[in-house]
Amino acid sequence: MEEVVGVKFKETGKVYYFSPDSKNIKKGSHVIVETARGIECGEVAMENRQVEDDSIVKPLKNIIRIATKDDLEICRQNREKEKKAGPIFEKKIADHGLNMKLVDVEYTFDGSKILFYYTAPGRVDFRELVKDLAGVFRARIELRQIGVRDESKMLGGLGICGRPYCCKQFLSDFQPVSIKMAKEQGLSLNPTKISGSCGRLMCCLKYEQDAYEHLLKVTPKIGATVETKEGKGEVIDYNLLTGSLTVRLDKKPDAAPVIVNRKDVKLLKDARITVDKSEIEALKDIEG
């Protein structure tokens, strides 16, 4: 076990562990730490606590100091510089004729490096652009191409549910989401209904997937053969949440199907939920 403090550098970013170096630091405080990018100012998201050694990436670096008023003023000035750097970057990419879209600008604490986050439909040769920007800002320039999910996380907005994006509010990592999840949850495979504003499958499909996987294990699927009180039949529809099954009886194929509960039938032969190749091909652009 080792004592650590959790520090984050973005509002919904990952929490990184640092050694408190015998300091008791309250949540919400700002601290100066050394990172792979250099000296940075971060916010304490987790107060002093003991964690298992195998959950720590060693060597664990110390908290240099609790941020002073001067440190916080430097951070404020950096935010102002970032606002001014954006329009300059956009003008430069227009001058160079590059197909890029600026998403965010970030100054390191000491101002020695500027990071520009951008999206683009493919690879971009920005070597001349970097030279041009370095001459303007007199600092090291780093350009990072990001995906549409990361763009939504940085910019924020409202989802189709009417709430702020999950990725902007609390998701520190993106979880894999697949067309199969939407299929198993009985959702229409209509891109406009199952994709978020980023154009990819909604992250919230992951939230209830474990519950749906459990229900699918105990519920006969469409095409399954079951034994009911009225005889053997085929499941033609079901409701996972209520457990109701719509069964077409073999002895009365032309009659109205019967509605039964999954607890009241005996499963003789189950079916599988599959995603057709044509469905995968049609929706491949929104998966991931």
Side-chain angles (χ1 to χ4, degrees), residues 10-167:
K10 290 182 177 294
E11 186 179 354
T12 55
K14 292 182 180 179
V15 175
Y16 297 89
Y17 290 153
F18 291 86
S19 170
D21 194 25
S22 302
K23 303 179 182 72
N24 288 316
I25 306 173
K26 294 183 179 180
K27 183 177 179 179
S29 302
H30 286 80
V31 293
I32 305 300
V33 296
E34 181 183 357
T35 71
R37 292 190 342 193
I39 304 300
E40 291 285 0
C41 180
E43 181 182 347
V44 174
M46 186 186 79
E47 296 182 357
N48 301 55
R49 71 174 60 176
Q50 297 287 330
V51 299
E52 298 289 343
D53 290 338
D54 57 6
S55 64
I56 299 172
V57 178
K58 293 187 176 182
L60 198 63
K61 294 187 177 180
N62 293 335
I63 297 286
I64 296 176
R65 66 178 180 273
I66 296 175
T68 63
K69 288 184 178 180
D70 290 340
D71 293 329
L72 297 178
E73 176 59 21
I74 291 173
C75 292
R76 189 196 65 78
Q77 292 175 2
N78 286 341
R79 302 295 85 80
E80 292 298 320
K81 291 178 183 177
E82 290 166 359
K83 293 177 183 178
K84 296 178 181 178
I88 296 174
F89 180 87
E90 290 175 332
K91 183 179 184 304
K92 292 298 181 182
I93 61 176
D95 292 343
H96 287 269
L98 299 175
N99 188 11
M100 304 166 67
K101 176 187 173 185
L102 177 66
V103 176
D104 197 15
V105 183
E106 191 176 305
Y107 268 73
T108 57
F109 177 73
D110 59 6
S112 62
K113 182 195 291 187
I114 312 173
L115 293 90
F116 294 92
Y117 297 90
Y118 72 94
T119 58
R123 293 180 63 87
V124 179
D125 184 355
F126 48 66
R127 287 173 292 184
E128 293 302 318
L129 173 63
V130 170
K131 292 178 183 178
D132 200 354
L133 292 170
V136 172
F137 292 106
R138 303 295 179 184
R140 290 176 56 197
I141 303 296
E142 185 174 327
L143 272 61
R144 289 188 183 178
Q145 185 171 1
I146 60 175
V148 289
R149 278 185 158 187
D150 294 298
E151 179 183 10
S152 292
K153 182 180 178 69
M154 287 183 173
L155 298 180
L158 296 178
I160 60 174
C161 59
R163 295 178 60 83
Y165 296 160
C166 295
C167 56

